[in-house]
Amino acid sequence: MARGGTQEVTNKQLVEGGCAGCGVKLQTTANDKPGYIPDSALEREPAICQRCFRIKNYNDATTVTIDQDDFIKLLGGIANTESLVVHIVDIFDFEGSLISGLQRFVGNNPVLLVVNKIDLLPKGVNLNRLRNWVQKQAKTQGLRILDVVLCSAKRNMGFERVIEALGEHRGKRDVYVVGATNVGKSTLINRLIHDFSDLERELTTSRYPGTTLDAVHIPLDDGHDIIDTPGIVYAHRMTEVVPRDVLQALLPDKPIKQLVYQLNEQQTLFIGALARFDFIEGARQSFSLYISNALPVHRTKLERADELYADHKGVMLAPPKAEQLDEIPAWTRHRLTIRRGTDTDIYISGLGWIHVNSGDGALVDIHAPKGIRVLLRDALI
């Protein structure tokens, strides 16, 4: 993948019929449908839809519903190509951003696993141990991978290794970039565009899930493409169920600081009004929370937890705000047994995780919006 090359590609050729920001087909007739662009903006270089324009300039995005079957159909087509598949996952929400059953979609095409957002982990994390952890988790999920690359596209950490890995494994093939919503696919591809082409355009990036709406082709100098695919929407992630203005607090944008609480049994921690942790039974021990620094945590006795929530949800216990609570599914309780002698995380998809610091074992309850994935896993840190 060399810079420039003999194949000259203009922005007009690149985005013909599609938005340069999200890939959706452009249209000028229905302003409430994907791809709408005013006639007056058609000559803009590069041409972007009104939705992308509003994201870029006002950090605002209208809700556009994309049929999940369309995502699956697009993914399924990869098996009929000869390609390198780059699967980007978010280390902060690893299990929630791993594409379930990816292997059957990509067929025999090799998979490079790029683990993004490592800049969010606390400083001092052992990267070799982290890579081993990722390899083990991917194998558990039935994913066969060529290699694991750790990076932060936003902070330019490990990006050179991403480029090296693409050079090592691509050969003369297209590159399909796949991932769930909000894992940083477009940010990473923008780095590729910036470093390896002369194209004057960028994909639309934002905190809003589902920013890329259709496949976006970025030509390479050897006649092949990098293809950015829409993010898979998984309803089991907290990021998909909260109101949009809560995303800013939910998604960390700088290294998370672990919050350590020494608890006796029958004590409770509230994470805003998004989730609740009850320490039901066990020896006095500490628990470390790895969540966005913007989320407040409140401790109380279990016997007072229901009353506290009823009196203070949406105000002291926030986000979300009181008027937004009806937008989120009602909580479901998950009872979890942490076995003695294990090094365990309690993972809540899209929110973060709680590390059980003791090996003494414990019985805990997690209350989270219905449908949100909650599970036990080997400790990440």
Side-chain angles (χ1 to χ4, degrees), residues 2 32 37 55 77 84 95 108 114 116 120 125 131 144-145 163 211-212 237 239 247 256-257 272 315 379:
D32 61 338
I37 182 172
I55 291 175
L84 171 65
E95 287 82 358
N108 294 322
V114 175
N116 196 21
L120 298 180
V125 171
R131 185 177 289 103
R144 300 191 302 273
I145 54 177
I163 300 306
T211 304
T212 302
R237 306 169 74 200
T239 48
L247 284 175
I256 51 181
K257 299 175 182 176
V315 185

Side-chain angles (χ1 to χ4, degrees), residues 11-244:
N11 284 315
K12 184 177 180 182
Q13 289 172 319
L14 179 66
V15 302
E16 184 177 4
C19 171
C22 68
V24 73
K25 185 176 180 180
L26 294 172
Q27 51 90 12
T28 59
T29 55
N31 62 9
D32 61 338
K33 301 294 184 183
Y36 175 74
I37 182 172
D39 288 325
S40 59
L42 279 174
E43 298 304 315
R44 184 187 297 133
E45 288 286 346
I48 60 174
C49 69
Q50 188 174 68
R51 177 175 176 272
C52 286
F53 180 84
R54 293 194 62 81
I55 291 175
K56 287 176 179 288
N57 293 281
Y58 305 110
N59 198 33
D60 174 45
T62 54
T63 299
V64 179
T65 301
I66 304 298
D67 191 336
Q68 183 75 5
D69 291 341
D70 292 339
F71 290 127
I72 301 303
K73 184 178 179 180
L74 184 61
L75 266 188
I78 298 176
N80 299 321
T81 69
E82 187 176 346
S83 308
L84 171 65
V85 178
V86 177
H87 181 10
I88 303 179
V89 294
D90 178 353
I91 191 59
F92 186 70
D93 188 17
F94 184 83
E95 287 82 358
S97 59
L98 204 66
I99 296 178
S100 177
L102 177 65
Q103 206 66 54
R104 76 173 183 272
F105 293 124
V106 303
N108 294 322
N109 289 312
V111 177
L112 177 68
L113 191 62
V114 175
V115 182
N116 196 21
K117 303 187 185 182
I118 63 168
D119 59 299
L120 298 180
L121 298 179
K123 294 179 181 178
V125 171
N126 185 310
L127 295 185
N128 285 329
R129 185 184 185 281
L130 178 61
R131 185 177 289 103
N132 291 337
W133 182 91
V134 168
Q135 289 173 330
K136 182 178 179 182
Q137 297 300 111
K139 184 177 180 180
T140 300
Q141 296 293 327
L143 188 60
R144 300 191 302 273
I145 54 177
L146 283 172
D147 198 1
V148 172
V149 182
L150 308 176
C151 73
S152 167
K154 186 175 181 180
R155 306 293 183 196
N156 195 24
M157 298 168 58
F159 193 74
E160 292 306 315
R161 178 57 197 142
V162 175
I163 300 306
E164 289 173 6
L166 285 175
E168 290 171 14
H169 302 300
R170 183 171 76 89
K172 292 188 178 297
R173 292 182 288 195
D174 289 338
V175 177
Y176 277 86
V177 183
V178 302
T181 53
N182 239 44
V183 297
K185 288 191 302 91
S186 296
T187 300
L188 189 140
I189 288 181
N190 282 339
R191 285 299 316 278
L192 292 175
I193 293 172
H194 179 268
D195 286 17
F196 294 97
S197 80
D198 296 319
L199 298 171
E200 297 177 2
R201 52 75 61 87
E202 286 190 346
L203 303 181
T204 301
T205 61
S206 80
R207 285 176 171 267
Y208 302 122
T211 304
T212 302
L213 299 181
D214 205 346
V216 181
H217 291 246
I218 298 101
L220 301 174
D221 59 319
D222 61 0
H224 293 280
D225 293 339
I226 293 177
I227 301 107
D228 182 29
T229 61
I232 303 297
V233 178
Y234 284 132
H236 58 243
R237 306 169 74 200
M238 189 80 75
T239 48
E240 305 293 351
V241 303
V242 300
R244 287 181 175 242

Side-chain angles (χ1 to χ4, degrees), residues 271-288:
I271 303 173
L274 294 171
R276 166 179 152 184
F277 168 78
D278 295 338
F279 180 20
I280 303 297
E281 186 179 301
R284 177 176 171 82
Q285 57 190 286
S286 68
F287 300 87
S288 294

Side-chain angles (χ1 to χ4, degrees), residues 231-379:
I232 303 297
V233 178
Y234 284 132
H236 58 243
R237 306 169 74 200
M238 189 80 75
T239 48
E240 305 293 351
V241 303
V242 300
R244 287 181 175 242
D245 62 357
V246 176
L247 284 175
Q248 190 163 359
L250 184 64
L251 295 171
D253 61 358
K254 56 187 176 182
I256 51 181
K257 299 175 182 176
Q258 66 166 324
L259 300 174
V260 182
Y261 288 87
Q262 190 79 27
L263 298 180
N264 295 316
E265 60 182 14
Q266 298 294 298
Q267 286 191 301
T268 290
L269 298 175
F270 283 98
I271 303 173
L274 294 171
R276 166 179 152 184
F277 168 78
D278 295 338
F279 180 20
I280 303 297
E281 186 179 301
R284 177 176 171 82
Q285 57 190 286
S286 68
F287 300 87
S288 294
L289 276 63
Y290 293 88
I291 59 175
S292 169
N293 303 333
L295 293 176
V297 178
H298 293 275
R299 172 164 46 182
T300 189
K301 292 181 179 179
L302 179 58
E303 63 188 28
R304 294 194 58 242
D306 290 341
E307 179 184 355
L308 183 73
Y309 184 73
D311 292 344
H312 298 287
K313 61 184 178 183
V315 185
M316 182 180 78
L317 301 179
K321 293 176 286 190
E323 61 270 22
Q324 297 173 316
L325 287 171
D326 288 342
E327 299 179 39
I328 298 178
W331 282 354
T332 297
R333 187 186 72 172
H334 304 259
R335 175 147 292 189
L336 305 170
T337 301
I338 290 88
R339 292 184 293 111
R340 181 182 294 272
T342 58
D343 191 11
T344 302
D345 286 339
I346 303 163
Y347 159 84
I348 306 170
S349 183
L351 179 66
W353 66 94
I354 301 167
H355 181 237
V356 183
N357 296 323
S358 167
D360 292 336
L363 182 66
V364 304
D365 283 346
I366 297 293
H367 302 255
K370 184 177 181 180
I372 298 302
R373 180 177 292 174
V374 175
L375 54 82
L376 299 178
R377 70 181 187 191
D378 291 341

